[in-house]
């Protein structure tokens, strides 16, 4: 069940955090994995995955990376467009256009370039997984650029799923809630809010995200397509009982 034996996967942003947990999980399930990221890390080097230096905002390099991967490892079965950034933002009326542009470049164009150039180097019947975010659904003050970029990832996911249906390539998105990684450390405001804003009462761990990526990558999810799967401990559905009791006391 959920075997990835014999499958080849490319994971962007796989050197750290959620991407790294996905790489570990894919390797453990039998996949051959290539990570495309700005830089490698000692943790990645221990996984057995191959590494290719890539900035996902550089369209020419994205295309070249897919070509090189196919030449070396054959066509891909799985593509995970996961690389992303979360920059410090402010109120909407103080929007820093540089922050907005950089966020859209990495989080939105980075995924678009993966969807534009990746599929021609994939086998028919493959699986693409895009990392969106809880922020694509839930509104958080002062996260305009990030939220807009991730809402765009959901639309790209639906668009690609329908366009690639003739090749039976499925395209889904995972929407992580607050998950403890270098991007979202344990003491961040969002991590602390998880005590109240999730049914789980805590932030998620990268491994809890990776389990869902694993399912979506495997043939066991063959009828799951064009979906955005929330892995957020219940955040989008409101305050948990503990906090509700406090507010009403
Ligand atoms: P992270 O900072 O641990 O990992 C992000 C990875 O992306 C890093 O290895 C980084 O080098 C790579 N990266 C950044 N810019 C890149 C570029 N231009 N080209 C290639 N690689 C690049 O962060 P984390 O938390 O693992 O985030 C992974 C994904 O999950 C991101 O898309 C993020 O937006 C999303 N996410 C994370 C949440 C969290 O609470 N940690 C919540 C919701 C979504």
């Amino acid at each position: 069940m959920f075997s990835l034996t014999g499958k080849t996967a490319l994971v962007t942003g796989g050197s750290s955090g959620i991407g790294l947990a996905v790489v570990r999980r894919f390797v453990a399930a039998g996949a051959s994995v290539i990570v495309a990221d700005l830089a490698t890390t000692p943790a990645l080097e221990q996984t057995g995955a191959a590494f290719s230096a890539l900035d996902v905002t550089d369209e020419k390099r994205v295309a070249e990376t897919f070509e090189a991967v196919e030449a070396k490892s054959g066509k891909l079965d799985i593509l995970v467009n996961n690389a992303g950034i979360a920059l410090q933002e402010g109120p909407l009326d103080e929007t820093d256009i540089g922050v907005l542009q950089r966020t859209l470049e990495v989080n939105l164009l980075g995924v678009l370039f993966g969807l534009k150039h990746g599929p021609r180097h994939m086998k028919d019947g493959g699986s693409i997984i895009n990392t969106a975010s809880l922020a694509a659904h839930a509104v958080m003050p002062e996260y305009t650029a990030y939220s807009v970029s991730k809402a765009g990832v959901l639309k790209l996911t639906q668009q690609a799923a329908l366009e690639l249906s003739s090749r039976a390539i499925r395209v889904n998105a995972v929407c992580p809630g607050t998950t403890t990684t270098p991007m979202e450390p344990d003491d961040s405001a969002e991590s602390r809010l998880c005590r109240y804003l999730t049914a789980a009462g805590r932030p998620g761990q990268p491994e809890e995200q990776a389990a869902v990526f694993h399912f979506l990558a495997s043939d066991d999810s063959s009828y799951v397509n064009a979906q955005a799967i929330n892995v957020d401990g219940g955040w989008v559905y409101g305050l948990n009982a503990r906090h509700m009791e406090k507010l009403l006391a």
Side-chain angles (χ1 to χ4, degrees), residues 15-93:
S15 294
S16 170
I18 294 170
L20 177 62
V22 168
V23 171
R24 288 193 179 118
R25 181 107 190 187
F26 282 9
V27 169
S32 168
V33 181
I34 302 112
V35 167
D37 200 315
L38 295 173
T40 186
T41 55
L44 176 64
E45 279 158 19
Q46 289 181 0
T47 62
F51 174 75
S52 178
L54 175 69
D55 180 340
V56 294
T57 68
D58 183 340
E59 183 177 3
K60 187 164 168 288
R61 283 283 303 126
V62 171
E64 288 168 358
T65 298
F66 282 117
E67 276 159 27
V69 165
E70 180 175 354
K72 188 157 182 237
S73 309
K75 285 196 185 286
L76 294 167
D77 301 276
I78 302 158
L79 168 62
V80 181
N81 292 307
N82 166 75
I85 55 170
L87 302 177
Q88 184 68 44
E89 299 191 43
L92 189 53
D93 62 359

